Amino acid sequence: LTPVDLAEVINAMLSLAGNQLRHKARVEVHLVPGLTALGTPTAVGQVVLNLLVNALQAIPDDGADHLVTIVSR
């Protein structure tokens, strides 16, 4: 396991899922610089992508203004 830059992984996964997500909600990202997680970029990316997909599936198709916020501390 190695330190993985969370900002890099989150931004990469937003590039993959962000287009679908932005059709249903606004996305705000507030990340602490230099925050890392132990793992592999692939494994951490899969976790982030799963969270984004879960958020996407939880947003109703009601035409209302929805917001997905990604925050690190």
Side-chain angles (χ1 to χ4, degrees):
L1 301 178
T2 60
V4 177
D5 185 316
L6 286 177
E8 278 185 30
V9 172
I10 289 169
N11 287 325
M13 294 304 106
L14 278 172
S15 293
L16 289 176
N19 200 27
Q20 289 181 338
L21 194 57
R22 286 185 196 97
H23 279 91
K24 295 182 89 172
R26 290 181 297 116
V27 178
E28 290 184 3
V29 180
H30 307 280
L31 302 176
V32 175
L35 191 62
T36 61
L38 287 179
T40 65
T42 302
V44 175
Q46 186 63 53
V47 170
V48 171
L49 185 58
N50 287 345
L51 291 170
L52 290 172
V53 169
N54 289 348
L56 179 64
Q57 292 172 344
I59 299 169
D61 289 324
D62 59 4
D65 185 29
H66 298 284
L67 173 66
V68 173
T69 306
I70 301 169
V71 179
S72 67
R73 298 173 197 240

